[in-house]
């Protein structure tokens, strides 16, 4: 079951193609409910409607903003954390291109946004939804997600019941698109599948919800509204997942440090 199913709401690669960036200071790139790693939290995320899909909205509400990292000169011994500055040509200010490539770019960026840690904060979550969901479906999405991000859900992913991160821990929620595929396309509508890998959990000693990796595919139905692509519905399914390698799992401290030192990407393609 997915949020989109229940409510029926909601690169470049060529000349004129665009990518988008998320605003500075955003959380992580992955949205809680949208992968298939830890069954308790991941399943909850999927049922919620791919919580991992909704944070891109913030980026689009502030499209074209400065991506510079926020300074932290007061703590020399503390790793600096900030959104990773995108490389390449600055994206256009008007939004995604009205073509197949533009729809793929929109879907990939929406996946990053919806999977970010900002989805766990109501104000940021609402901004995201308002920016990437078809206007008529925003109220339904907001109401459904307000119920989904319940005290019980927050606890399942390692957070405090109010959604805050326990002292001494680092919350991780990031989504990384691996590829996109258009299954339907017209001048005003497109259906795009986004194959993703995600991280979700709480990094730190004695964490009851350690960071785990999962693979999933998100399907978004998009509509061209007010000069940009917006989500009408979205759903998620597990996989395709590769055979696990022989990598040794990092310690809690190593994982927390990596999350703090490596800022999440602000755009997907």
């Amino acid at each position: 079951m997915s949020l989109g199913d229940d409510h029926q709401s909601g690169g470049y690669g060529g000349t004129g193609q665009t990518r988008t960036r998320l605003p500075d200071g955003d959380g992580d790139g992955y949205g809680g409910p949208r992968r298939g790693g830890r069954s308790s939290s991941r399943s909850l995320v999927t049922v919620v409607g791919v919580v991992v899909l909704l944070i891109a909205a913030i980026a689009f509400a502030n499209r074209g903003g400065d991506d510079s990292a926020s300074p932290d000169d007061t703590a020399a011994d503390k790793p600096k954390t900030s959104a990773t500055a995108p490389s390449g040509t600055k994206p256009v200010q008007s939004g995604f291109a009205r073509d197949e490539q533009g729809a793929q770019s929109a879907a990939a960026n929406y996946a990053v946004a919806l999977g970010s840690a900002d989805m766990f904060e109501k104000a940021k979550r609402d901004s995201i939804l308002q920016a990437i969901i078809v206007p008529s479906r925003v109220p339904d999405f907001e109401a459904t997600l307000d119920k989904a991000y319940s005290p019980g859900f927050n606890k399942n992913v390692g957070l405090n019941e109010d959604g805050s991160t326990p002292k001494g821990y680092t919350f991780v929620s990031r989504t990384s698109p691996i590829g996109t595929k258009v299954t339907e396309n017209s001048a005003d509508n497109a259906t795009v599948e986004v194959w993703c890998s995600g991280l979700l959990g709480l990094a730190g000693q004695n964490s009851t919800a350690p960071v785990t990796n999962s693979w999933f595919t998100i399907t978004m139905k998009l509509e061209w509204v007010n000069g940009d692509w917006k989500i009408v519905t979205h759903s998620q399914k597990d996989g395709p997942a590769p055979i696990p390698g022989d990598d040794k799992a990092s310690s809690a401290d190593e994982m927390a440090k990596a999350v703090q030192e490596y800022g999440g990407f602000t755009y997907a393609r």
Side-chain angles (χ1 to χ4, degrees), residues 173-233:
S173 181
R174 298 185 183 182
T175 294
S176 299
I178 304 301
T180 58
K181 179 178 68 173
V182 174
T183 57
E184 294 182 22
N185 183 50
S186 67
D188 298 317
N189 297 277
T191 298
V192 183
E193 295 183 3
V194 187
W195 180 31
C196 306
S197 176
L199 298 176
L200 180 66
L202 202 64
Q205 291 294 334
N206 302 316
S207 172
T208 58
V211 180
T212 59
N213 162 260
S214 62
W215 294 81
F216 51 95
T217 298
I218 296 167
T219 298
M220 288 182 232
K221 289 187 177 181
L222 306 174
E223 181 178 335
W224 187 259
V225 178
N226 298 325
D228 211 348
W229 292 106
K230 303 290 184 179
I231 296 174
V232 179
T233 65

Side-chain angles (χ1 to χ4, degrees), residues 114-166:
L114 297 175
S116 121
D118 282 358
M119 289 299 293
F120 290 79
E121 297 181 40
K122 179 172 172 54
K124 293 181 178 180
R125 181 170 69 246
D126 287 350
S127 294
I128 293 173
L129 295 176
Q130 291 165 14
I132 65 175
I133 303 299
V134 169
S136 63
R137 304 311 305 164
V138 170
D140 286 340
F141 272 78
E142 289 182 343
T144 297
L145 289 175
D146 283 346
K147 293 180 181 179
Y149 285 92
S150 64
F153 174 70
N154 290 333
K155 188 175 181 180
N156 275 338
V157 298
L159 299 173
N160 293 320
E161 292 188 352
D162 63 358
S164 61
T165 301

